[in-house]
Amino acid sequence: MRVVVTGGQGALGSQVVSALRTMGHEAVSASRRSGVDLRSGAGLEEVVRGAEAVVHTADTTSPRSYAAVTVGGTRRVLEAAARQPSPPHVVTISIVGVDHHPYSYYRAKRAAELLVEQSVQPATVVRATQFHSLAAFFARVGRIGPVALGLRGLRIQPVDIGWVGQRLAEIATGARPDGPARERDLTGPDRFDLSGLTRLVAEHAGRRPPRVLELPAHGGAMRAFVDGTILPGPEAEVGGESFTDWLARQPRRLRGR
Ligand SMILES: NC(=O)c1ccc[n+]([C@@H]2O[C@H](COP(=O)([O-])OP(=O)(O)OC[C@H]3O[C@@H](n4cnc5c(N)ncnc54)[C@H](OP(=O)(O)O)[C@@H]3O)[C@@H](O)[C@H]2O)c1
């Protein structure tokens, strides 16, 4: 099957590409590096032509581009797919809890989901929790010497990005829905509070775990991070490598998010 992966060289997209190739499919990466720009739609029509599925993982980290890329890019992918004589199944990645979260990025992800829900073509939303690397970033970012600042009540159930990529590849190449659809949320096996995560990450780096100073959440977005909004429900699909197994495979000095 020919499958286009937007953002196919990104952290998640590259996992989708490699899963598709292992499954014997033709995976075509589409992003600015390959001449496809979701902000303008340049190159999109050409790359989607003849595809049987599109896995849409491309996104921006720049708040100024949420409207044009997170939302507008999803609209352009759906429109390019819908214009094909036989529209490919579009599978988009979203984040658990975005429908109840005021954080601006999550609001943009929800707006992108709504475009899928309101479309009439085969299109599926798949939500995942935070990837292990992002959870590890949360555990490092507030550290100042022997103490770490964190949000009181923050809990997180991170997931293995490789498994999410594998599931997206399977969903894209599996049975197509007739119209818009939603798959079960994807999450990992373990739930952590910030102190637990911070301790694991510090021990991994060979450092004494910091004393975590837990600050109360201020404002709607912060409160939504601590009130369980980002946690998966009981119906979520659980799988992939655990956070501790993932951490054990990482270099002592973690980088990025
Ligand atoms: N991080 C998490 O914990 C998490 C959890 C759940 C869901 N997700 C979702 O996973 C998705 C992928 O995240 P990621 O970590 O893989 O991101 P990433 O590594 O930053 O990759 C994003 C890709 O998008 C492409 N891109 C950016 N702007 C573009 C544009 N204007 N036109 C075309 N392509 C563009 C980039 O390639 P070029 O530079 O070549 O354009 C890049 O490879 C996002 O939708 C995110 O919401 C993330």
Side-chain angles (χ1 to χ4, degrees), residues 135-137 139-140 143 196-207 243 246-247 252 254:
F137 175 75
R140 303 193 309 281
R143 181 159 186 163
L197 264 185
T198 302
R199 181 177 48 75
L200 286 172
V201 168
E203 286 170 357
H204 175 76
R207 302 177 72 184
F243 179 78
W246 171 84
L247 190 59
R252 268 170 70 128
L254 294 169

Side-chain angles (χ1 to χ4, degrees), residues 50-118:
E52 288 172 74
V54 178
V55 181
H56 177 40
T57 74
D59 208 343
T60 180
T61 50
S62 162
R64 277 180 307 171
S65 299
Y66 293 162
V69 177
T70 308
V71 187
T74 302
R75 177 183 293 112
R76 281 180 272 281
V77 168
L78 289 166
E79 287 173 353
R83 279 194 293 269
Q84 303 308 308
S86 172
H89 178 196
V90 176
V91 177
T92 66
I93 180 75
S94 191
I95 305 170
V96 168
V98 290
D99 40 354
H100 302 295
H101 207 302
Y103 172 40
S104 58
Y105 179 56
Y106 285 14
R107 286 208 318 267
K109 294 298 283 184
R110 178 61 189 147
E113 284 188 351
L114 283 170
L115 295 173
V116 174
E117 290 172 18
Q118 289 158 5

Side-chain angles (χ1 to χ4, degrees), residues 9-85:
Q9 292 178 71
L12 176 61
S14 58
Q15 300 288 335
V16 179
V17 166
S18 106
L20 285 166
R21 289 184 181 154
T22 304
M23 291 160 76
H25 298 290
E26 181 193 354
V28 181
S29 175
S31 74
R32 291 167 299 184
R33 264 169 277 192
S34 64
V36 176
D37 193 340
L38 295 180
R39 182 185 293 273
S40 62
L44 194 53
E45 192 82 28
E46 294 80 350
V47 78
V48 164
R49 196 168 297 140
E52 288 172 74
V54 178
V55 181
H56 177 40
T57 74
D59 208 343
T60 180
T61 50
S62 162
R64 277 180 307 171
S65 299
Y66 293 162
V69 177
T70 308
V71 187
T74 302
R75 177 183 293 112
R76 281 180 272 281
V77 168
L78 289 166
E79 287 173 353
R83 279 194 293 269
Q84 303 308 308

